[in-house]
Structure formats: structure tokens, C-alpha cells
Amino acid sequence: MSNRKMITAALPYANGPVHIGHLAGVYIPADVYARFQRRSGKDVAFICGSDEHGIPITIRAKKEGVTPQDIVDKYHEIIKKSFADLGISFDEYSRTTSANHRETSQDFFKVLYEKGKFTEEMSEQYFDEQANEFLADRYIVGTCPNCGNENAYGDQCEKCGSTLSPSELINPKSMLSGNVPILKETKNWYLPLNEYEDFLNEWIIEGHKDDWKPNVYGQVKSWLTDGLKPRAMTRDLNWGVPVPLPNAEGKVLYVWFDAPIGYISFTKEWAEKNGKDWKDYWQSEESDLVHFIGKDNIVFHCIIFPAMMKAHGDFKMPKNVPAFEFLNLENDKISTSRNWAVWAHEYVEEFPGQQDVLRYALLSSAPETKDNNFTWKDFQTKNNSELVGIFGNFINRVAVLIHKYYDGIIPAGNENADELNEITKAATEVETFLENYEFRNALTSMMNLARFGNQYLQIEEPWKTIKDNPEKAANSLFIAAQIAVGLAQICEPFLPFSAEKLQKMFNVSQLNWSDIKNEKILIKTGHQINESSLLFSKIEDDVIDFQIQKLENTKQNNKKTNPNANPMKDEIQFDDFTKIDLRTATILTAEKVEKADKLLKLTVDTGVDVRTVVSGIAESFTAEEVIGKQVMILLNLAPRKIRGIESQGMLLLTTKADGKLSFVTPDETVENGIEIG
């Protein structure tokens, strides 16, 4: 087993914040693994950064009427801060718009080009004549040929998960203009993946059938069985890393070509800052490369990127790619477009100081081999019953009793007690599980040590034996203190904020993992501990109800046919409605109200009478425009004075998308005074 670990986490798209699906499926497990490897004495480089060249970024920029750079600048900072706030301990978190990344990815492309690894091919690509640009796969929507979803993208159907090409879509349309695109000839550079099938079969199918996760191995095997085809490594776009060749204007590197190279360019940045050689991590046999990703990225990390590195010739293959499945939210698929998510930056704001609670809840529900589900009620239970009721309760009892009976000084006890073996057992189990990427099992082993500690105290009852058998009480609290410090050490990869508090509370420093396993005594007799404080606090129902209501509001908002529509007002009874007297009427005269830019004074024939109405419509209509207009009026509204003029009623209007007002009128001219309802 190598002493050097090159650990990468999938680059998040900088077109929106990070949500709990990302955290559970990539970043928290990757962080646990990296923290554990550091504690095990390994030379670790834990690398990530924002993917800033994806089509989703240009789509978002167009929607918001800003530049792609504006979008990535905004979300890069939000994402970076969210990771830091949740204790994700990247050694380097960079971005693909950096000059270093552009140079690294262009150099990588040129090496392959000069080695003759690409084929130049003319192909017909979809082109939007109105927008005057070639369409990236994500800018083409149509009907999925496999499931009939009418909103499938040119590269993937998000409903059935099928990988597609634009030519397979039925009734394709451009997302830029809504028009049917034409096919236009263009040149691009392709990597003939079919030439790497033998290598991939030998490396993965034969070489990793026993140590890669079944979900990863199975997907790769399926791709290879179906046969690989050449894939374009360049695109006709104006946002991305420019193709570093003459006569390649308007062409950029395919985002899935440049994004994984980000792992390399970011490692270079980190190595330069820390006086290291990046090649030791990417090109040395003494280094293990591990990619943490979600299942939707398996093909890119297990087929395309390895083929690129093999073509280059200087890079070693990943030792493992422990891809996770998807996390659902309240039994529904997490969706950025539907805002159906728990956002990392919002959680940090709404649950201050409770980062470890989210880490614990997501790890215990980690979708390791199949999709899993997060609910707020389960989150509350995990906090209240497990973190507060088991872990926190044990720690608090130990610290409080040692302060109460021994003034905070660890008493003497049996240094060879069998109970101390539980610490070694837990540390060994956690190590074994983490080396095999079994994060839920590792978390369970850590929590089982806390369970054992609680049970031990319940059996020993030092608060009772202190009176008639003080030596027994001292021994039990000595042993309990060892377990507590064992927890303070073992919990660090999972609960780093709590580990820091615990180590301060017990006045101990962080140990290497081998010391936790081999040292029976983790805190010596006579050692002074600090004052205790509560590690976790109970989360009340109203806090959870608020989060559930937020999701319910999102669900209701997603039902709107017009997302800009205001919420419905308070419900009224039928009898309330019958009191309203709505009539057709005609405006006879109109004039501006002095010193009031928004107001017109109107004379209105209601069929019942002729009356005066003051209306705030002057910014949308001139006085001349409204004379003779048939309108609808609320007739029995109590009169009120506006700028000294008594207004008798209210006209019905609505607001258009441009902010201008529009009258609610009958389709055809009718008599004045006709009741509506």
C-alpha cells in the first residue's frame, strides 16, 4: 500500500450552490477518507475546484442576463465558503478559469495532438441560424427516444438516465431561440476511444473485478460490452479553454476534456505553494490516485479520462473510483432547477455551530451502493437520539463526574482492563471500513464505542459506588475517560468540529491512528482535564417544521404555471364573495391629477350612475388612451378621498410581464351595469 495518496473530489459546476446530494455523494465521504489517511501518516493531496466551463454555466448566464464570468465568480465563492464552513479539508480548491489551468489543459491537448492521438473529422452539427452559433448538446432539447420525455437534453435524458447524442432526439429544438436547428458542417478533434478498449478491459474488467464497487464495475463493463466510439474532444463554443491550434478560432476544449485535467492543474498550484513536486502524486508508482465522484460521472472518470491519460503516456491510472449513487430528499429526486434541495450555505446559516450534525446525518444515509433518502425527521432523530442521547450523553457524564469527584483530575485505574480493548477494536474496524470505502459501517463502529461507554457507565454506576467502594468508582471513571478520549480521536474524520472540542475538553492533542490502536492508555492518571461543555444540543420540532414548510412552499411554487405569480390571498367564504358587486362600465372622461404622476381622475358610466374614480394608472396610460374604454369596476367599494378627490369604486387591472398595467375587459362590448359573477 502506497504511502502517498492523491485524492480528488468531482469538480462542482459553478452555476449554483452545493446541496446535500453533492455533500453525501462526494464531498463528505472524500473528506473523511482524506482526514483518515492524514491521521494514518500518509502524504495526502486532497484536491478539488470549481468547474467553470460547463454548458449549464452559459445557460444560467443567459437566463440572468450576465456574462458566464459573472456567474462563475459568484458561485465559486459561495461553493468554496460552503466547503470550508462544513470542514471539507481540501489542500487546494481552485478553479478552471485560472491561467494555470488553461495552460495545463492546453499543454495536455498539444501532447496528444503531437503524438497523433486525435483524428480530425468533419461532421454535421446542429446550428441555430437565428443565434448564429453551433449548439452544444445541452442547448438542444427534444423527445427522448427511449422514454418519451419531451424535455430530454442532447446529451442525456434526466428522466430515464439514458446517455444520448443530439441526432437521437425526436423533434429537436434550440434552447437559444426555440427554433428547429439546421445541420451544418464543422471540424473537430476526436479521441478514438475504441482504440483503448483492450487497455480498459485489461485494467478494469480483469484488474479490478475484486476491489472496485459493483455499481462502478458494472457500469464500466456495460459500456465496454456495448463498444466504444470516437468522441469529440473539442466543441464549437465561445466559452471555455481555447483549442491551442492554428485555425481553431471559435473552438474550445470539450468540458469533459478540460475539467478532469483540473485535478492535475490544481495539484500543480498546491505543490508550488508547498515546495512539492506535483509529478510525485500523478506519475509515481509510489502514489495511489483515488477519484470520489457521483454515479453520473463514472463514464468520464473510468473511461474517457483514463484513455486521455493513457494516450498522454506519463500518468498512472487511478487505484479506485468509489462512485456513490444519488441521495433523494423527502422521497423525491433532488433537483436544482426545481429548487428541491437543502443548500449547504443555507444550512450553515440556519443551523449555526451544527455542521457535524449534517455530516453525521449524511454519512449515516450515504448512498454508497444504491440511492438513499434524506428526511428532516430522520435528521432530527439522528441528532436527538444518537448524537445527543448516546455520544454527547456519555461524554458529558464522564467529564462532569470526574470534575465532581476528582476536581477534574483523572483517577487511578486498571491499565490492563479488558474494556480498553474496545478502543482498539473500534479504531481497527474504522480503519478497515474506510480503506474499503464503507463509510456507513465505519461511522457505526465509531458510534458503537460511544454506546459501549454508556452501557459501561450504567453497569458500573460510579455515582453510587463512590460512597461505599471509592476504588471501584475511580477505576470505572479511569476506564470511561480512556473511552471518551478514544472517541475524541476516532471521531475526527467524521465529526472534526466535535473532535476539536473534545480534545480541548480533555486537554489532549491529536494522535496518529497507529497510536490509537496500539496505546492502551490514551490519558494518564493525574492528567488535568478542562471544564466540560455540551457537544450537541437537542433540535426542537419547530426548527424541523420550519424546514419541512420551506420544502412544502417549494413544492407549491413548482406547481405554478406562472412562477412570477404572487401567492393566493387568504381564503374567503362564498358569502364574502356575494357581497362584491362587479359591473361593466365605460370611461367617459379622464384627466391628470395635479402633482400626482401616477393618478388619473376618471368619470365612469357604471350603468347605475355616473361617478368619479381616481386610479393609479397614469404611468401605463395617457388620459386620451382610456376615454371610451370599457372596463370592469368594483361598484360597492366604500368611497375614500385621494388627493382631496372622493373616489367611488375601483377599476380591475392586472400587471403584464413588462410591468405595465392592463385593463380587465369583456371580450365584446356589452351594456354598462351588467353584473359579473
Side-chain angles (χ1 to χ4, degrees), residues 58-116:
T58 59
I59 290 174
R60 182 125 196 179
K62 284 183 185 292
K63 279 183 181 176
E64 296 188 15
V66 297
T67 68
Q69 192 66 51
D70 291 331
I71 293 293
V72 299
D73 287 347
K74 173 184 175 181
Y75 288 110
H76 171 72
E77 291 303 323
I78 290 173
I79 293 168
K80 186 177 181 180
K81 185 175 186 303
S82 293
F83 285 145
D85 287 343
L86 286 163
I88 310 298
S89 60
F90 294 125
D91 292 301
E92 184 71 31
Y93 187 84
S94 190
R95 54 194 309 189
T96 59
T97 54
S98 70
N100 166 64
H101 174 70
R102 175 179 290 204
E103 181 184 342
T104 301
S105 50
Q106 287 180 328
D107 286 348
F108 197 109
F109 181 89
K110 282 190 283 189
V111 168
L112 268 61
Y113 178 79
E114 288 163 4
K115 285 187 172 186

Side-chain angles (χ1 to χ4, degrees), residues 455-606:
Q455 291 164 359
Y456 176 74
L457 278 183
Q458 281 303 113
I459 293 167
E460 292 295 307
E461 298 182 313
W463 51 90
K464 290 183 180 178
T465 57
I466 191 71
K467 298 170 187 173
D468 52 14
N469 193 344
E471 189 176 328
K472 183 180 181 184
N475 181 64
S476 57
L477 284 172
F478 169 81
I479 291 169
Q482 306 306 319
I483 296 170
V485 173
L487 277 170
Q489 300 291 347
I490 293 170
C491 81
E492 185 270 338
F494 313 100
L495 311 173
F497 299 94
S498 303
E500 188 177 353
K501 287 181 192 173
L502 273 170
Q503 288 168 24
K504 252 181 216 172
M505 192 187 303
F506 285 92
N507 193 20
V508 295
S509 55
Q510 191 160 279
L511 299 174
N512 289 331
W513 208 263
S514 59
D515 293 333
I516 307 169
K517 290 193 303 178
N518 298 325
E519 296 288 338
K520 279 216 165 190
I521 305 305
L522 300 178
I523 188 167
K524 296 185 181 299
T525 298
H527 181 89
Q528 177 74 56
I529 68 172
N530 295 317
E531 286 298 320
S532 63
S533 60
L534 290 178
L535 277 183
F536 308 102
S537 56
K538 190 177 178 186
I539 295 175
E540 302 296 342
D541 289 345
D542 61 326
V543 174
I544 297 302
D545 291 343
F546 174 80
Q547 295 298 330
I548 292 172
Q549 187 58 52
K550 267 179 70 176
L551 290 174
E552 184 58 34
N553 293 344
T554 294
K555 193 178 288 184
Q556 293 306 316
N557 201 49
N558 287 335
K559 290 179 181 177
K560 288 181 180 179
T561 54
N562 174 13
N564 298 315
N566 290 324
M568 183 181 76
K569 294 180 180 178
D570 291 344
E571 192 176 83
I572 62 171
Q573 299 302 314
F574 183 75
D575 288 346
D576 297 322
F577 176 72
T578 58
K579 295 174 186 176
I580 297 171
D581 192 348
L582 287 172
R583 305 277 183 133
T584 54
T586 300
I587 298 173
L588 303 178
T589 67
E591 60 182 90
K592 287 273 288 183
V593 176
E594 287 185 17
K595 298 179 181 178
D597 293 339
K598 295 183 179 180
L599 301 179
L600 288 182
K601 177 185 175 184
L602 311 172
T603 304
V604 182
D605 179 357
T606 69

Side-chain angles (χ1 to χ4, degrees), residues 404-438:
K404 182 176 180 180
Y405 300 138
Y406 308 104
D407 296 323
I409 296 172
I410 302 298
N414 180 5
E415 297 187 359
N416 294 304
D418 289 342
E419 290 84 0
L420 299 178
N421 294 328
E422 293 296 319
I423 303 168
T424 301
K425 176 187 172 188
T428 303
E429 284 182 358
V430 168
E431 178 179 57
T432 301
F433 286 133
L434 291 183
E435 290 289 6
N436 288 292
Y437 312 102
E438 296 177 33

Side-chain angles (χ1 to χ4, degrees), residues 292-433:
F292 281 86
I293 59 169
K295 68 176 175 182
D296 51 338
N297 288 342
I298 290 173
V299 64
F300 302 107
H301 287 77
C302 298
I303 292 179
I304 297 176
F305 189 37
M308 288 164 53
M309 293 197 291
K310 181 71 173 175
H312 189 288
D314 290 339
F315 294 89
K316 64 173 295 184
M317 296 300 117
K319 181 179 177 63
N320 213 315
V321 185
F324 281 62
E325 302 293 294
F326 291 151
L327 184 74
N328 295 324
L329 171 60
E330 300 287 352
N331 302 302
D332 192 4
K333 184 179 178 181
I334 291 176
S335 168
T336 300
S337 61
R338 293 188 293 121
N339 194 32
W340 188 256
V342 176
W343 304 104
H345 66 294
E346 290 184 359
Y347 176 88
V348 171
E349 289 171 7
E350 293 168 3
F351 291 84
Q354 294 180 292
Q355 300 98 314
D356 279 350
V357 182
L358 185 64
R359 288 177 66 108
Y360 181 83
L362 293 180
L363 281 167
S364 62
S365 300
E368 291 180 5
T369 54
K370 63 180 181 180
D371 291 355
N372 215 331
N373 191 45
F374 174 94
T375 72
W376 278 113
K377 286 293 185 185
D378 185 53
F379 168 86
Q380 182 185 26
T381 299
K382 283 184 167 62
N383 178 76
N384 293 355
S385 298
E386 297 177 25
L387 291 177
V388 175
I390 298 171
F391 195 118
N393 181 52
F394 170 66
I395 295 295
N396 187 58
R397 291 162 88 187
V398 173
V400 166
L401 290 172
I402 290 173
H403 275 288
K404 182 176 180 180
Y405 300 138
Y406 308 104
D407 296 323
I409 296 172
I410 302 298
N414 180 5
E415 297 187 359
N416 294 304
D418 289 342
E419 290 84 0
L420 299 178
N421 294 328
E422 293 296 319
I423 303 168
T424 301
K425 176 187 172 188
T428 303
E429 284 182 358
V430 168
E431 178 179 57
T432 301
F433 286 133

